[in-house]
Amino acid sequence: MSGADAVVHILHRVGIRSVFGLASGKLSPLFKALSTRDDMRFIGVRHEASAAFMASGIAAATGQMALCLGETGPGGLNLLSALGGAWANHLPVLAITSSNPSAIMHPHRGAFSSTDNESLFRHLTKWNARVTVGERLPELIHCALREALSGRPGPVHLDIPAEILGGIFRFSRAELDAPMTSFIGRPPAPHAQDIAVVVDLLRQARRPLIVAGGGVARSGSDACAAMVRLLDRVGCPGIATQMGLGVIPQDHPQCLGQGGFVGGSAVVEAMQQADLVLAFGCRFSSFLWVDGPPRWDDRPDRKLVQIDIDPAALGHALPLTLGLTSDAGLAIEALVQALSGVELYPAPDWLPGLTAKRDAYRASIDLKDIDGLIHPGALAQGVARFIGPDDLVTLDGGHTSFWSNEFTPALVPSTRFHEPGMSHLGFGLPAALAMAGHYPDRRVFCLTGDGAFGFNLQELDTARRYGLKVITIIHNNASWGVIRAAQNKHGFEIGTDLDGTDYAAIARAFGCHGERLERLEDLDVVMARALAADTSVVIDARVGWSPHPMFPTFGASTAHRL
């Protein structure tokens, strides 16, 4: 069969059903093979970066892999920009690029749209390769999938030249039909002696803190339920990272906040004062750097236990008391069982003091209108009334995601999605559209800023063409708000004005439903029409600028410090 037919056959066999890309020339054999499959859905985007955002959205929401495609030259370059988000957030995505025929490549002879894709993608993927022998396609696809899904997940890339996609080769039927279980092993479980050490550390701790990261969410719903049982059993405060939103429900009485320090001042105090931190599936990104970049001598009295499926992640950011190479869910279950009948002695004022600080922080935020414009926190809080616990929500844009993180709470795992690792603006709408295609019976929202929305608003055309409904609420402060505030602090302003764009009119021009919202009291009526619409919706809400209370911590987190 052709190389392209082999690729599609293998991907179908291992369960990949979603494909995102843009119709193009050198990939034509692959598109022909896809066209014969009624049970593999292709969504054609208007920019290849959206294809990578969409595949990343599927990975974040489901843990499953999707395929994104990029043509030779500019198509691959566009794809790469958004694939960086999957790399930074450890999301399993398969990217396939084409390239010009090998006879005019390596070294390059001057053909148009020629790029060395293997070299370009190497530093933003967990693994990549260029296919030079057609008969090795099954082997290399299996290798890519194994690398993407084993250990700490991540994006992988195959560059397949035009003559390999279109060429005819002989393949082994057994290799073509190999199930995923034949080349991907079971996740690692913790050693019993390590769990015993953790139990002993918990018995000694007076100010324990549990951190739930994206690794817990990836372990599945049973792991997330076990995390809540562990939190209840230990009786200590807990926080969730940006990739772990909802693992600890935001309304749980022991949850101090979500999204790292974005969750509020109680999160900062807990990170500073805890004498034992148990971190599950957490990479200790800068959203947990409450005192700036981590230092080896910060807290010699604090004990830190890190549980991660990737041994290379252990101790990467901070020195450890104990590191466990284990699937987060398996470790949580083992620890819950090991704690049966064990007496723990957290300080009686530890949890109550922090929850009181959490409640005072939330009560202190003033959500009044700003110079006649809606407060962004008030908009997030108002919109949350229409979003159910199981609805899916992407949070896009610095200003918007901070306010929505607090006031549009995550009560269920894998329902609220930020892009913290690369913080690539523009991921929100494409990722939400992919989720809407994958879950046609669930409501999907995109909460975004006007700046972020401008990156990929052309995908409203994709929404119309494929009948995908996403309700997008734009926090429109007519500026690059965070950047403008920083510039004004230093006495200048350049390039931050975004005033004068009517995003509701743009939505209607693409065949979607669009409305402007200028008063919060009109939100009920506007949202009722949005929920009843049979197309994607854009609500252009005019908000004022109000710096989030945790912006100073955000700024200090990556400031230079020796």
Side-chain angles (χ1 to χ4, degrees):
M1 63 171 61
S2 74
D5 285 331
V7 170
V8 171
H9 179 95
I10 295 167
L11 296 183
H12 180 271
R13 176 70 178 170
V14 299
I16 290 180
R17 295 292 184 269
S18 298
V19 184
F20 308 100
L22 197 155
S24 48
K26 294 296 187 292
L27 286 167
S28 286
L30 193 58
F31 283 114
K32 182 180 180 181
L34 282 170
S35 71
T36 66
R37 288 280 184 181
D38 292 335
D39 52 356
M40 291 181 74
R41 185 176 193 182
F42 173 73
I43 292 181
V45 298
R46 297 300 301 271
H47 191 284
E48 290 88 351
S50 295
F53 284 137
M54 288 180 171
S56 299
I58 294 294
T62 70
Q64 300 173 17
M65 288 191 68
L67 170 64
C68 55
L69 303 172
E71 174 64 294
T72 182
L77 291 170
N78 288 343
L79 191 72
L80 181 60
S81 68
L83 200 66
W87 175 79
N89 295 300
H90 307 296
L91 297 171
V93 167
L94 174 60
I96 290 180
T97 57
S98 64
S99 56
N100 281 320
S102 299
I104 56 173
M105 294 284 292
H106 305 289
H108 173 46
R109 297 185 67 183
F112 72 92
S113 296
S114 289
T115 47
D116 183 353
N117 292 325
E118 185 181 6
S119 297
L120 285 170
F121 280 71
R122 181 174 299 133
H123 297 291
L124 286 178
T125 53
K126 188 179 175 187
W127 180 92
N128 82 322
R130 185 172 185 271
V131 182
T132 57
V133 178
E135 287 83 358
R136 293 190 68 187
L137 270 170
E139 170 201 347
L140 294 177
I141 293 172
H142 293 162
C143 186
L145 298 176
R146 181 172 61 251
E147 291 288 341
L149 293 168
S150 298
R152 178 176 287 195
V156 292
H157 163 249
L158 282 173
D159 185 58
I160 310 179
E163 76 273 12
I164 300 291
L165 286 174
I168 304 299
F169 308 96
R170 294 182 66 86
F171 300 102
S172 157
R173 172 61 65 181
E175 199 172 27
L176 287 173
D177 291 344
M180 193 87 83
T181 53
S182 68
F183 54 90
I184 295 180
R186 293 182 178 180
H191 294 295
Q193 57 266 41
D194 287 335
I195 293 296
V197 173
V198 177
V199 170
D200 191 53
L201 289 171
L202 280 168
R203 292 181 63 186
Q204 300 174 42
R206 298 298 175 263
R207 298 185 304 280
L209 172 68
I210 288 177
V211 180
V216 184
R218 175 159 177 77
S219 291
S221 57
D222 289 345
C224 297
M227 170 57 73
V228 175
R229 294 201 305 274
L230 177 63
L231 193 68
D232 292 338
R233 175 66 183 85
V234 177
C236 71
I239 62 175
T241 69
Q242 289 283 0
M243 294 299 290
L245 297 176
V247 169
I248 302 174
Q250 200 154 330
D251 60 355
H252 190 286
Q254 292 164 236
C255 180
L256 298 183
Q258 305 207 42
F261 59 67
V262 181
S265 54
V267 173
V268 174
E269 184 170 317
M271 290 291 294
Q272 291 172 332
Q273 297 186 6
D275 63 359
L276 173 64
V277 177
L278 295 183
F280 296 88
C282 162
R283 61 187 167 186
F284 286 99
S285 74
S286 58
F287 283 97
L288 289 177
W289 295 359
V290 297
D291 295 310
R295 296 187 300 186
W296 285 79
D297 60 347
D298 268 348
R299 283 286 309 278
D301 59 322
R302 178 177 56 198
K303 294 179 173 61
L304 175 59
V305 176
Q306 185 180 6
I307 298 96
D308 202 281
I309 201 168
D310 178 14
L314 300 177
H316 176 75
L318 287 167
L320 303 178
T321 307
L322 178 66
L324 283 73
T325 301
S326 172
D327 171 81
L330 295 177
I332 295 167
E333 288 283 5
L335 188 53
V336 170
Q337 293 179 23
L339 284 170
S340 177
V342 175
E343 291 290 332
L344 302 177
Y345 307 97
D349 59 346
W350 173 236
L351 177 61
L354 288 170
T355 54
K357 189 175 187 69
R358 173 200 65 194
D359 296 342
Y361 162 78
R362 293 175 179 174
S364 69
I365 300 175
D366 185 357
L367 301 181
K368 295 177 182 177
D369 284 0
I370 305 165
D371 298 327
L373 297 172
I374 303 169
H375 189 289
L379 176 62
Q381 192 176 62
V383 167
R385 294 188 290 108
F386 299 90
I387 299 177
D390 292 315
D391 293 341
L392 303 175
V393 185
T394 59
L395 311 176
D396 194 4
H399 186 250
T400 304
S401 61
F402 269 52
W403 284 112
S404 299
N405 183 84
E406 177 67 26
F407 291 107
T408 310
L411 306 179
V412 177
S414 299
T415 58
R416 307 292 184 264
F417 307 94
H418 188 202
E419 202 282 73
M422 194 63 67
S423 295
H424 197 323
L425 300 182
F427 96 102
L429 178 60
L433 290 172
M435 294 174 196
H438 190 87
Y439 293 112
D441 297 327
R442 297 176 73 173
R443 299 192 306 185
V444 183
F445 296 79
C446 171
L447 309 183
T448 184
D450 52 323
F453 185 67
F455 278 92
N456 280 315
L457 58 80
Q458 75 279 352
E459 300 306 338
L460 292 172
D461 177 68
T462 303
R464 175 189 55 79
R465 286 183 291 116
Y466 289 93
L468 304 172
K469 181 175 179 179
V470 168
I471 298 176
T472 297
I473 296 99
I474 302 174
H475 285 230
N476 184 0
N477 57 26
S479 69
W480 296 106
V482 176
I483 304 302
R484 171 182 276 178
Q487 289 185 359
N488 288 344
K489 183 179 178 180
H490 292 88
F492 75 100
E493 184 174 325
I494 184 171
T496 59
D497 184 14
L498 297 178
D499 197 14
T501 301
D502 187 339
Y503 296 101
I506 291 172
R508 292 192 294 270
F510 274 116
C512 299
H513 180 88
E515 296 201 37
R516 285 175 68 90
L517 177 70
E518 298 185 354
R519 303 187 310 157
L520 195 60
E521 49 264 40
D522 296 331
L523 179 62
D524 287 14
V525 174
V526 170
M527 285 299 296
R529 289 195 291 261
L531 293 170
D534 57 4
T535 64
S536 271
V537 175
V538 171
I539 298 173
D540 183 355
R542 293 305 305 267
V543 299
W545 165 257
S546 178
H548 190 275
M550 301 311 295
F551 269 176
T553 306
F554 175 66
S557 66
T558 53
H560 175 70
R561 185 182 66 164
L562 295 176

